[in-house]
Amino acid sequence: MRKITLYFLPLVIALLTIILTFYENLWIEFFRTLNVPPQLPPFSDLDAISKAVDSKDAGFNPYLNNPFDLKGKTYVYPSIWIHFFELFNLNQSINFKIFNFITLYIYTFIFIKIVYDVNQKFFTLIIIILFLSSANLLAIERLNIEIIIFILIYLLAISKNNVFKIPLFTLAIYGKLYPLFSVFIFLKNKKILIFMILISFLILFHMKEEINFLIKHGNEVALNIAYGVPTLTKGIWYYSMKFGYFINDDNYKIFKYIMVFFASIYALSLVLINFNFGRKEIEENFNLDEKLFICGAGIFIGRFINFSNVDYSLIFIIFTLPYIFNEKFLKFKYFLIICIIISFYSSFFEFGDRYTLNYFSMAVFIHSIKIFVFSYICFLFGKVLNKHLEIKFFK
């Protein structure tokens, strides 16, 4: 029965979702009913890459002029996705549909596999609730690149051989930069860990022009359905400009970078609470729960500090849940899980005039919840690192 569910249920979900894309009115109504803001065409984020390929084939630079995009927007993803779509002709409708189906199948399969790995009814309920959340369904509705990166990170965590892990890690960084925060998956071998950190910086240097462009044209989303330090600073900027406070266009960037710096110090302090330097007993067994946690938590922490993120990128927190759920001596475990669930459903707090006391109160509530989740995951990140990483300054 388990194998049937594991392999057949993802097939049904993926197939029904693909069928739904052929009925645009039904697509709109279905996701709107689930409190997910729908867009056309279906899988609009992935479709945007397809349109960028069409623009490139017509002789345009989609980073500057992207006439085939339905909204006329320029291309805002790393160039590797254009090359990938060109390689497999994914701008062709049938190929695009097949790729969407495969992606959704694997994505759903991972959720169910994690459920079976933990094998507890309450945990199963939690995963079902999160799978049906507005954050996760938005990722599916857009078929955002986050889902593909999610799959790569899962493969990275379950891989036991560095021959597979190193290419997966490198590919994931080229896909969307932030997977570099999962570099501690290599912590059992300090030489490889240092090597992969250096590789990460070399990749960032190689992509510097793309990174500068993406930063320049990227949006900082100051909404309740987003998270991250730049999201919070942008929200403060909006209120400051509206009511004439001290944050304005002239000093906003300085304010943001100062807040990013303090957030980094705050996160590091929480990590170091549980981390001991010097000689200590290192556990030999680096189990899957801890590997998934290191990847998911690392990405969530890195993105929270450095980027403004729409809530669909919360899906990487899914990787932290097996460790959180199985940790017997974890204080506030169930409160943390409740806060994670609330964060995944933050679209229910996104309505009304943004400059009213009601909206401000909802913003304080939902962002406080997300800051608590961030803080506790930083705390746990240090705990897991401490079990498997020894750092000595002197022999």
Side-chain angles (χ1 to χ4, degrees):
M1 184 62 184
R2 281 192 176 187
K3 286 188 176 181
I4 294 175
T5 304
L6 182 60
Y7 294 101
F8 183 70
L9 185 57
L11 178 66
V12 172
I13 293 174
L15 186 59
L16 289 177
T17 306
I18 295 298
I19 291 173
L20 197 61
T21 64
F22 290 96
Y23 305 93
E24 292 187 346
N25 290 335
L26 189 58
W27 177 270
I28 293 291
E29 291 303 318
F30 176 78
F31 283 102
R32 187 173 289 160
T33 300
L34 296 171
N35 205 40
V36 176
Q39 287 187 357
L40 291 177
F43 305 139
S44 55
D45 285 358
L46 212 58
D47 182 77
I49 304 175
S50 177
K51 296 298 188 291
V53 173
D54 291 337
S55 294
K56 183 182 177 184
D57 290 344
F60 299 96
N61 181 349
Y63 281 108
L64 302 174
N65 189 3
N66 193 19
F68 284 84
D69 186 84
L70 296 180
K71 296 182 179 179
K73 293 182 178 180
T74 55
Y75 180 71
V76 290
Y77 294 114
S79 60
I80 190 173
W81 295 108
I82 290 182
H83 301 316
F84 178 76
F85 268 56
E86 287 177 326
L87 179 63
F88 294 100
N89 292 318
L90 296 183
N91 57 325
Q92 302 298 317
S93 179
I94 183 63
N95 295 344
F96 186 68
K97 296 288 187 185
I98 293 172
F99 178 71
N100 295 343
F101 172 80
I102 294 172
T103 302
L104 288 171
Y105 179 88
I106 298 173
Y107 182 63
T108 310
F109 175 89
I110 291 172
F111 270 77
I112 300 173
K113 185 66 169 63
I114 290 174
V115 165
Y116 280 145
D117 287 342
V118 176
N119 194 27
Q120 294 201 32
K121 291 181 180 179
F122 184 58
F123 182 80
T124 301
L125 177 62
I126 292 169
I127 294 298
I128 291 172
I129 291 171
L130 294 179
F131 188 84
L132 297 175
S133 68
S134 53
N136 184 61
L137 291 178
L138 181 61
I140 292 174
E141 193 277 337
R142 300 287 196 272
L143 203 54
N144 193 273
I145 287 175
E146 309 287 340
I147 287 181
I148 302 174
I149 302 297
F150 180 95
I151 294 169
L152 292 176
I153 295 300
Y154 181 78
L155 295 175
L156 175 66
I158 65 174
S159 297
K160 297 180 180 180
N161 193 321
N162 287 323
V163 173
F164 297 105
K165 290 167 71 171
I166 290 173
L168 282 170
F169 178 74
T170 303
L171 181 62
I173 295 178
Y174 271 110
K176 215 170 179 185
L177 302 179
Y178 61 76
L180 67 89
F181 298 117
S182 63
V183 70
F184 284 100
I185 191 65
F186 298 99
L187 59 77
K188 296 305 286 186
N189 187 318
K190 282 194 284 188
K191 290 182 179 179
I192 293 180
L193 174 61
I194 294 170
F195 175 73
M196 295 313 300
I197 291 173
L198 293 175
I199 289 293
S200 299
F201 283 114
L202 287 175
I203 293 173
L204 295 181
F205 179 77
H206 179 245
M207 297 179 66
K208 63 182 184 298
E209 292 184 5
E210 288 187 25
I211 293 171
N212 289 333
F213 179 88
L214 295 173
I215 291 174
K216 181 178 179 181
H217 295 275
N219 292 324
E220 291 177 351
V221 185
L223 297 170
N224 291 340
I225 55 170
Y227 68 94
V229 172
T231 288
L232 296 172
T233 58
K234 196 66 173 184
I236 293 171
W237 175 83
Y238 275 118
Y239 276 98
S240 182
M241 293 294 288
K242 175 72 173 180
F243 299 109
Y245 299 144
F246 63 96
I247 305 298
N248 53 46
D249 288 334
D250 296 328
N251 58 26
Y252 171 68
K253 284 190 176 180
I254 295 174
F255 170 66
K256 181 179 75 171
Y257 294 138
I258 289 174
M259 294 303 293
V260 167
F261 173 76
F262 279 117
S264 301
I265 298 299
Y266 172 70
L268 181 61
S269 300
L270 291 172
V271 170
L272 293 180
I273 288 174
N274 280 322
F275 190 85
N276 299 317
F277 291 93
R279 186 176 296 277
K280 59 189 174 185
E281 291 291 330
I282 298 297
E283 293 190 10
E284 292 186 9
N285 183 33
F286 189 22
N287 62 50
L288 181 58
D289 289 357
E290 292 170 333
K291 291 177 182 179
L292 288 171
F293 180 88
I294 282 293
C295 290
I299 288 173
F300 175 67
I301 293 168
R303 294 188 69 164
F304 195 103
I305 294 172
N306 295 285
F307 304 110
S308 176
N309 312 277
V310 179
D311 276 351
Y312 49 61
S313 59
L314 287 171
I315 59 176
F316 293 97
I317 290 182
I318 298 294
F319 291 145
T320 70
L321 291 176
Y323 173 80
I324 292 171
F325 191 82
N326 286 324
E327 184 60 43
K328 294 180 180 179
F329 303 104
L330 181 61
K331 294 181 179 179
F332 308 118
K333 174 166 67 175
Y334 294 107
F335 181 69
L336 174 61
I337 290 171
I338 290 170
C339 288
I340 289 173
I341 291 172
I342 293 172
S343 299
F344 270 72
Y345 282 86
S346 59
S347 64
F348 288 90
F349 300 89
E350 188 62 66
F351 62 88
D353 188 334
R354 296 176 191 175
Y355 297 106
T356 61
L357 180 60
N358 183 49
Y359 188 90
F360 178 77
S361 300
M362 290 189 296
V364 170
F365 172 75
I366 194 64
H367 286 294
S368 296
I369 291 289
K370 292 174 181 178
I371 290 172
F372 172 77
V373 172
F374 165 75
S375 302
Y376 211 85
I377 286 181
C378 287
F379 178 79
L380 296 177
F381 193 78
K383 187 176 182 179
V384 177
L385 279 184
N386 190 61
K387 292 170 64 176
H388 301 286
L389 182 63
E390 183 180 68
I391 299 178
K392 296 181 293 185
F393 295 107
F394 304 101
K395 292 185 178 180

